[in-house]
Amino acid sequence: TRLTEAYAIVHYLSGHRQFVVLDRDQIWAHRKRSKRQDQPSSPWNTDEGPMWEKSALIDLSKRFEPDSELAAAVAALNDEEAG
């Protein structure tokens, strides 16, 4: 199956919603920023689907409401991947 797009949606308790849809080119731009993208053990090579999902979530997280627990969770994921 060839992946074509990934999306993420957040629903706030206030009733407000935000969403993002990324196409293949936008996902590959995220992949190119990964230091491990070319390594066989890279999640980009072993778990491509979840990495697409994570890319959409990371992109959406840039728009999260300030002081959001979601923003803190995504920051922790980014720190874990960079570590």
Side-chain angles (χ1 to χ4, degrees):
T1 304
R2 183 171 185 256
L3 300 173
T4 59
E5 292 145 345
Y7 70 92
I9 303 169
V10 62
H11 296 261
Y12 294 100
L13 293 176
S14 66
H16 180 211
R17 289 187 299 199
Q18 290 178 302
F19 71 95
V20 66
V21 179
L22 301 180
D23 64 22
R24 179 171 279 280
D25 291 338
Q26 292 168 307
I27 295 292
W28 279 85
H30 276 263
R31 180 184 172 134
K32 287 179 185 178
R33 289 192 293 270
S34 172
K35 295 174 186 170
R36 297 181 46 210
Q37 69 170 326
D38 295 324
Q39 296 179 0
S41 62
S42 167
W44 283 104
N45 297 314
T46 61
D47 297 299
E48 185 180 25
M51 291 304 289
W52 278 55
E53 294 168 359
K54 182 179 175 185
S55 295
L57 182 59
I58 289 170
D59 196 74
L60 180 60
S61 72
K62 296 172 186 172
R63 302 178 186 117
F64 284 164
E65 294 175 359
D67 302 323
S68 167
E69 288 183 34
L70 290 170
V74 170
L77 280 175
N78 288 336
D79 290 344
E80 181 180 304
E81 182 177 314

